């Protein structure tokens, strides 16, 4: 018999083969999907890259070395146009195309790895534009020679135009800068001198190198802080200084400076112009000296001048002159004696900020030689002889020459500081009087209402005894009369106490007091009448002894009011009081977990009768705050509706002895 043949090995082999085929199939599908996803991502990157090239006006083309064919790519990555070398040569001038051809040949022969050439070409609208073309090989053949060369054609027409315009502008600027009849200078963003024309060298009798070596800065030149220079919009004044070391005399220099900003409004520097006024000043000084000499030689004139000087001294008046030619203000102590000579810049530094804009307009008006009289009242940064802020009242009239032109301004300068201080005090007193009157009227209205209510209750229930009634009702009548009488008595006492506070009639008598010994009693006395079963009352006392000099009587009044308020408004939770001594102040803190105060009511919490409750008069918090402040302390309150209230009281005091408890 032929043994039965087993087919199991064949089945196993077929199964393994099928499994391998399925695995290979799945692997190839996975690879195909991965490659497809990579192609999609690469395509997106390529499109973004082409869009970026489009935004910067860059065109891509390729050159097929074997087929001698130029292929232009559009911004979607597709072929836009193809050119043969002959067709492409028509797009460029002959010399430019020859340069392009030579660069390509150098790359093809391996003589260069990259190439670059400038071309002028016509676009679709037949407008000639400038391009720069950068080339490099993309792929190589088996012999290492390039197969495909990539070129990037960048449109530089606008850039070249801007460069040419900037160059032309710079040439014109240099021409004007150097031949100008006035001084011109440039400063960097930090205010340092970086460039100036030849006229500056002539004005200051120095060389470019010697003036540049001074490291001049606008901050020192204009007598301003660096911050004021950075925020400056315009500067125009006459300066007095010795700018160059080679000079033996001071220079009177009229200077204008404006800041320079870029397109993003960032400060890039400053531009300044100037002209020397030294000769004008010398002429003016000579004229004044001649006047003085003439006055000394004439006895009658001298006596007359002495009388005027006496009157000016008694009246507290000074003669003032402003010369628009040199932009200088001169203050005379008498007629001939110069007290101050101020440039415009110096005038501005002596004025209060509130007067600077008005003064600048006044100076500009006189520089424009207005023929109208000028009157102004200015606040300065100086102090008068009585240590008051110095206010000056100035009156100027123009002085005209024979042709009717203004030559200078003559005026009088008067110190009105005491008058201004008197006016200020009167205004403050008037406002305070009006405020006090309003407060008193409101307080009297509220007080009359608050007193009338319990008084009417007392009278009403008392009258019920004379009317028919049940005997069982009499205890209720008596209780209402006692309750309202007690409330009325408390209200009257607090009103009288608050009135004494308003009149500053409360006398404070600080005495040595051991706060550690009395603080617990103050709090417990306030809580006794308002304790509730679900509330924990805690006094935190961390001191064995704290002896300070303070008015304990008024301190107990403050603590009593605040502690009783906390107890009244807390139905469950905790009421806690503590104290401490910090930097010369007794700090008392009372906090609770009670009802709290609405945020809208907090700003009005210290108004009288504003915090009135069922058991309170509404005067407790105003009394505590006013009493604390009159003791030299501060009173603060923080509260959140439904989350409780915290009160901080700080009162200055002198400490005598402190002993803390031992910590466990």
């Amino acid at each position: 018999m032929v043994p039965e043949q087993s087919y199991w090995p064949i089945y196993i082999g077929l199964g393994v083969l099928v499994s391998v085929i399925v695995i290979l199939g799945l692997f190839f599908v996975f690879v195909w999907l991965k490659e497809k996803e990579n192609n999609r991502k690469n395509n997106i990157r390529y499109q973004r890259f082409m869009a970026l090239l489009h935004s910067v006006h860059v065109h891509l083309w390729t050159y097929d070395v074997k087929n001698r064919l130029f292929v232009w790519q559009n911004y979607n990555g597709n072929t836009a146009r193809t050119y043969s070398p002959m067709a492409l040569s028509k797009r460029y001038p002959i010399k430019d195309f020859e340069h392009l051809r030579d660069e390509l040949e150098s790359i093809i022969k391996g003589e260069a790895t990259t190439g670059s050439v400038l071309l002028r070409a016509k676009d679709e609208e037949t407008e000639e534009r400038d391009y720069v073309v950068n080339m490099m090989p993309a792929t190589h053949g088996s012999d290492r020679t390039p197969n495909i060369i990539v070129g990037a054609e960048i449109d530089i027409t606008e850039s070249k135009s801007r460069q040419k315009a900037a160059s032309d502008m710079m040439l014109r600027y240099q021409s004007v800068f150097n031949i100008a009849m006035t001084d011109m200078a440039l400063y960097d963003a930090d205010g340092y001198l970086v460039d100036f024309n030849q006229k500056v060298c002539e004005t200051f009798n120095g060389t470019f190198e010697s003036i540049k070596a001074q490291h001049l800065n606008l901050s020192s030149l204009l007598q301003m802080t660096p911050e004021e220079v950075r925020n400056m919009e315009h500067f125009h004044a006459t300066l007095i200084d010795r700018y160059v070391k080679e000079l033996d005399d001071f220079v009177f220099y009229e200077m204008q400076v404006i800041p320079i900003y870029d397109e993003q409004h960032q400060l890039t520097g400053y531009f300044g112009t100037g002209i020397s006024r030294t000769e004008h000043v010398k002429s003016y000084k000579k004229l004044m000296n001649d006047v003085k000499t003439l006055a000394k030689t004439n006895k009658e004139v001298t006596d007359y001048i002495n009388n005027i000087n006496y009157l000016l001294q008694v009246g507290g008046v000074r003669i003032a002159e402003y010369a628009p030619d040199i932009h200088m203000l001169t203050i005379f102590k008498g007629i001939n004696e110069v007290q101050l000579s101020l440039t415009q810049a110096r005038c501005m530094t002596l004025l209060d900020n509130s007067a600077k804009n008005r003064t600048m307009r006044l100076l500009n008006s006189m520089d424009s030689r207005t023929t109208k009289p000028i009157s102004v009242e200015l606040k300065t940064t100086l102090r008068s002889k009585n240590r008051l802020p110095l206010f000056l009242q100035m009156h100027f009239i123009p002085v005209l020459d024979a042709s009717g032109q203004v030559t200078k301004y003559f005026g009088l300068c008067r110190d009105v500081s005491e008058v201004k201080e008197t006016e200020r005090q009167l205004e403050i007193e008037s406002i305070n009087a009006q405020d006090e009157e309003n407060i008193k009227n409101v307080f009297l209205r509220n007080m009359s209402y608050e007193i009338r209510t319990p008084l009417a209750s007392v009278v009403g229930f008392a009258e019920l005894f004379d009317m028919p009634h049940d005997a069982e009702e009499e205890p209720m009548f008596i209780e209402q009369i006692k309750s309202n009488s007690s409330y009325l008595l408390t209200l009257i006492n607090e009103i009288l106490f608050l009135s004494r506070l308003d009149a500053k009639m409360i006398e404070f008598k600080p005495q040595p007091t051991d706060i550690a010994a009395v603080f617990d009693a103050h709090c417990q006395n306030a809580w006794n009448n308002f304790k509730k079963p679900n509330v924990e009352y805690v006094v935190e006392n961390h001191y064995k002894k704290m002896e300070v000099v303070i008015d304990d009587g008024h301190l107990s009044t403050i603590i009593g009011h605040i502690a009783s308020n906390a107890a009244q408004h807390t139905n469950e939770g905790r009421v806690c009081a503590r104290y401490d001594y910090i930097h010369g102040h007794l700090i008392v803190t009372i906090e609770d977990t009670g009802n709290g105060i609405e945020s809208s009511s907090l700003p009005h919490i210290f108004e009288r009768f504003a915090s009135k409750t069922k058991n309170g008069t509404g005067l407790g918090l105003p009394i505590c705050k006013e009493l604390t402040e009159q003791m030299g302390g501060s009173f603060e309150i923080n509260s959140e509706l439904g989350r409780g209230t915290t009160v901080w009281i700080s009162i200055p005091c002198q400490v005598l002895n402190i002993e803390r408890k031992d910590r466990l």
Side-chain angles (χ1 to χ4, degrees), residues 18-71:
V18 171
S19 299
V20 171
I21 293 173
V22 171
I23 292 172
L24 289 175
L26 292 175
F27 175 74
F28 285 120
V29 169
F30 173 77
V31 172
W32 177 77
L33 291 175
K34 189 69 174 179
E35 184 177 0
K36 184 178 180 181
E37 178 65 18
N38 290 336
N39 290 337
R40 186 183 68 83
K41 291 181 179 180
N42 291 334
N43 187 42
I44 292 174
R45 294 192 189 99
Y46 182 71
Q47 289 179 356
R48 290 176 179 173
F49 174 68
M50 296 302 294
L52 177 63
L53 294 179
H54 176 64
S55 64
V56 295
H57 305 290
V58 177
H59 299 273
L60 286 181
W61 53 260
T62 60
Y63 176 63
D64 189 335
V65 177
K66 181 178 179 181
N67 298 321
R68 296 176 57 81
L69 196 64
F70 290 89
V71 179

Side-chain angles (χ1 to χ4, degrees), residues 368-383:
S368 302
R369 302 177 190 270
T370 179
T371 56
K372 296 180 180 179
I374 294 175
S375 298
V376 66
E377 193 172 83
L378 305 173
K379 181 181 180 181
T380 71
T381 57
L382 305 176
R383 293 281 176 174

